[in-house]
Amino acid sequence: MAETMRVHTLGGEDLLFLTDEQIRRGIEAMFFAYRAFTADPDLILAGMDYGRAHHRALHFIHRDPGLTVTSLLAVLGVTKQSLNRVLRTLIEDGLVESRVGRRDRRERLLHLTAEGAALERRLSEAQRARMRQAYRAAGPQAVAGFRQVLEAMMDPDTRAQYQSMKDLPE
Amino acid sequence: MAETMRVHTLGGEDLLFLTDEQIRRGIEAMFFAYRAFTADPDLILAGMDYGRAHHRALHFIHRDPGLTVTSLLAVLGVTKQSLNRVLRTLIEDGLVESRVGRRDRRERLLHLTAEGAALERRLSEAQRARMRQAYRAAGPQAVAGFRQVLEAMMDPDTRAQYQSMKDLPE
DNA sequence: TTGGAAAGTCAACAAGACTGCCCTATCAAG
DNA sequence: CTTGATAGGGCAGTCTTGTTGACTTTCCAA
């Protein structure tokens, strides 16, 4: 710890950001911000019989229609059963469609139905509204820094996955 | 949505950061980064009979020794019962001490024991190591932006609470 | 053709959040 | 000194979301 303590007294104010106390502030900011980040969609979901896990599934099926259960598993980083329960209710309720793979019939290719897409849009828009407001308040430079730090924080495998995700055409 | 779509084609590249797609990328970055953010302490906790909730309690008791149960409740944003379960085990196991308030004897003032402080340090250091590495990789400007966006994302009440927290003297 | 591996499903369980209700101790104000 | 509000704690029950482990179906390669 001593390694990074009070570095600014040696090297100038630039390195204040590496003191344990500044890092601790970042940790707390992360905790509080994440809570807010999930609050809006959670509120919408609360009424229905769904939760945060359903939102995440809808999000990634939307971003990559036709992905397999296994790929979704990898992106979400949960176990099969955890996802399965969520997926089953989404399919039963007609929000997600699971088509048998043509190439490999063991695979199930996941798509949103019109209804699923509608819910995804609603949840997404609630979450985006908060982000948009934060982005606007902080400005483009801050946003660039925000993204850089988040990327640097990810596990290398996750980062590679994240970076290789294509932007959605609008 | 159309409101912020392709704004950069009108106003120049500066506003690319406000397109829905860029905001969506930020949302995903937030999700992936938060998962990494909690992974290290979770791994340590997994062995013991504790979880993420215990970590959070230890963290905030460490940052503000002698705080009351009610204040901790407010900071964590959970219900009494939820916190109580966690707090009870921590007290039973001798990591946290609960002293009757002198001014108001209804209050319980929470402190870490030496053992509690040791665990807090261990968890904290695991989490800080990742943050420190991310901060170093991204640089001071990025860190400033990171913090700005996170603050802007919080609920106003939380933000006020966050901003009024004092830095710990080292 | 057959045996292993991969994809997906299901059953049972645990952590951690929630609500609602009840209890005690203490304080402060009429 | 009573009475109402506040701080804290506890019990019962529920929900979401995570876990492990065992099972079927399907594919592919020896």
Side-chain angles (χ1 to χ4, degrees):
Chain A
M1 292 205 277
E3 174 198 354
T4 54
M5 261 170 67
R6 297 204 176 77
V7 175
H8 56 292
T9 62
L10 309 171
E13 291 305 312
D14 280 350
L15 293 177
L16 179 60
F17 77 112
L18 275 177
T19 62
D20 274 10
E21 191 44 32
Q22 285 308 305
I23 292 172
R24 192 179 276 274
R25 292 292 280 168
I27 288 176
E28 289 171 354
M30 197 68 185
F31 169 64
F32 291 130
Y34 195 78
R35 196 166 63 191
F37 170 74
T38 54
D40 308 306
D42 279 2
L43 208 65
I44 296 175
L45 266 329
M48 330 190 187
D49 279 354
Y50 299 135
R52 208 176 286 181
H54 299 82
H55 178 194
R56 295 201 281 253
L58 290 175
H59 176 102
F60 286 107
I61 297 173
H62 168 77
R63 98 137 19 252
D64 187 14
L67 88 173
T68 64
V69 172
T70 304
S71 345
L72 185 52
L73 233 40
V75 174
L76 294 177
V78 296
T79 56
K80 269 197 285 189
Q81 177 55 354
S82 220
L83 175 58
N84 215 275
R85 214 181 357 219
V86 163
L87 227 39
R88 188 172 43 218
T89 67
L90 289 174
I91 291 170
E92 276 170 11
D93 296 352
L95 302 187
V96 168
E97 201 187 341
S98 155
R99 306 180 192 152
V100 172
R102 277 200 310 270
R103 209 190 40 228
D104 183 336
R105 292 165 38 83
R106 290 173 301 181
E107 293 177 339
R108 299 287 177 275
L109 311 184
L110 303 170
H111 298 264
L112 296 187
T113 64
E115 199 187 341
L119 178 55
E120 194 285 327
R121 214 172 306 120
R122 194 169 151 222
L123 294 170
S124 209
E125 182 44 33
Q127 196 159 44
R128 273 201 306 274
R130 183 184 292 265
M131 287 294 268
R132 194 181 303 127
Q133 165 270 320
Y135 273 24
R136 230 192 275 274
Q141 262 218 318
V143 168
F146 168 71
R147 292 271 297 269
Q148 277 174 49
V149 174
L150 290 184
E151 279 196 40
M153 210 182 313
M154 296 177 196
D155 282 321
D157 291 1
T158 309
R159 180 163 48 245
Q161 207 179 34
Y162 169 78
Q163 286 168 344
S164 74
M165 284 178 173
K166 304 176 297 296
D167 280 9
L168 279 178
E170 315 224 25
Chain B
M1 293 207 277
E3 173 200 353
T4 55
M5 262 170 66
R6 297 204 178 79
V7 175
H8 57 293
T9 62
L10 308 171
E13 290 306 312
D14 279 351
L15 292 178
L16 180 59
F17 77 113
L18 275 177
T19 63
D20 275 7
E21 191 46 29
Q22 286 307 307
I23 292 172
R24 190 179 278 276
R25 293 290 279 168
I27 288 175
E28 289 171 354
M30 197 68 185
F31 168 64
F32 291 130
Y34 194 78
R35 197 167 63 193
F37 170 73
T38 54
D40 309 304
D42 280 2
L43 209 64
I44 296 176
L45 266 331
M48 332 189 186
D49 277 355
Y50 299 135
R52 206 173 288 181
H54 299 83
H55 178 195
R56 295 200 280 254
L58 291 175
H59 176 101
F60 286 106
I61 296 174
H62 168 76
R63 99 134 21 250
D64 187 13
L67 90 173
T68 65
V69 172
T70 306
S71 344
L72 184 52
L73 232 42
V75 174
L76 294 177
V78 296
T79 57
K80 237 191 336 176
Q81 181 59 351
S82 227
L83 175 57
N84 220 286
R85 215 164 347 114
V86 163
L87 225 39
R88 189 170 43 218
T89 67
L90 289 175
I91 291 170
E92 276 171 9
D93 296 351
L95 301 188
V96 168
E97 201 188 339
S98 155
R99 305 182 195 152
V100 172
R102 276 200 310 269
R103 207 189 42 228
D104 184 336
R105 292 165 40 83
R106 288 173 304 179
E107 292 180 334
R108 300 288 175 273
L109 311 183
L110 303 171
H111 298 263
L112 297 186
T113 64
E115 200 188 340
L119 178 56
E120 194 284 328
R121 214 171 307 119
R122 193 168 151 223
L123 294 170
S124 208
E125 181 45 34
Q127 197 159 43
R128 273 201 305 274
R130 183 184 292 266
M131 287 293 268
R132 194 180 301 128
Q133 165 271 320
Y135 273 24
R136 231 193 275 275
Q141 263 219 319
V143 169
F146 169 71
R147 292 271 298 271
Q148 277 173 49
V149 174
L150 290 185
E151 278 196 42
M153 210 182 313
M154 296 177 196
D155 283 321
D157 290 0
T158 309
R159 180 164 49 243
Q161 207 179 34
Y162 169 78
Q163 285 169 343
S164 73
M165 283 178 174
K166 304 175 298 295
D167 281 9
L168 279 179
E170 313 226 24

